[in-house]
Amino acid sequence: MTSFKNRRMKIISTSFYIIFLDQFSKFLILNTIGFERSKNIIPNLLNLTLVKNKGAAFSLFSNSTNLLTITSILASLILITIILKFPPKSFWNLRGLAYLLGGTVGNGIDRLFRGYVLDFLDLVPINFPIFNVADLSINIAIICFIIDIIISKDKSRIKY
């Protein structure tokens, strides 16, 4: 039972760290750069360009703020229920849940209180949508889950 509580606390504390980092970075960019401007951080690689995203990933479902806010809240509640009821079985699953919850709540806070998500990380050399720390966290979660699946499949192939 203690290890289950420890795993739960690791997930929750990592998620809170991600939420803080996401919200603090958005606050910082909003108050230093503002909208309608861009600041080059790494030449030919990264700009900080603050935009309002009223949609989901890649601006899908634009102007569906209410639907996306409800979806964000429901997804967060489902993730919290999974974390509290079912202990993660592996390191990668634990990390994936933490990053997914942090990213989901981070963007959910924006939708709930602003009506849109603040995005600001702009990769210069490629035509890629502008994103934020929460988006990055959700993508890291997906990578963690993929690694977990690959490792579990490899372990299931081992014959004794």
Side-chain angles (χ1 to χ4, degrees), residues 18 22 26 53 55-58 99 102-104 106-107 111 117-121 128-142:
I18 291 165
D22 176 65
K26 290 171 182 174
N53 182 354
F58 305 107
Y99 278 84
T104 303
N107 280 340
R111 285 191 181 97
V117 173
L118 288 174
D119 288 334
F120 60 90
L121 296 169
F128 193 78
I130 298 172
F131 58 100
N132 61 40
V133 173
D135 298 334
L136 187 60
S137 178
I138 291 168
N139 284 288
I140 290 170
I142 292 167

Side-chain angles (χ1 to χ4, degrees), residues 65 69-70 72-73 106-117:
T65 304
T69 302
I70 291 167
S72 208
I73 292 168
N107 280 340
I109 289 170
D110 280 12
R111 285 191 181 97
L112 191 60
F113 294 106
R114 288 189 168 98
Y116 54 86
V117 173

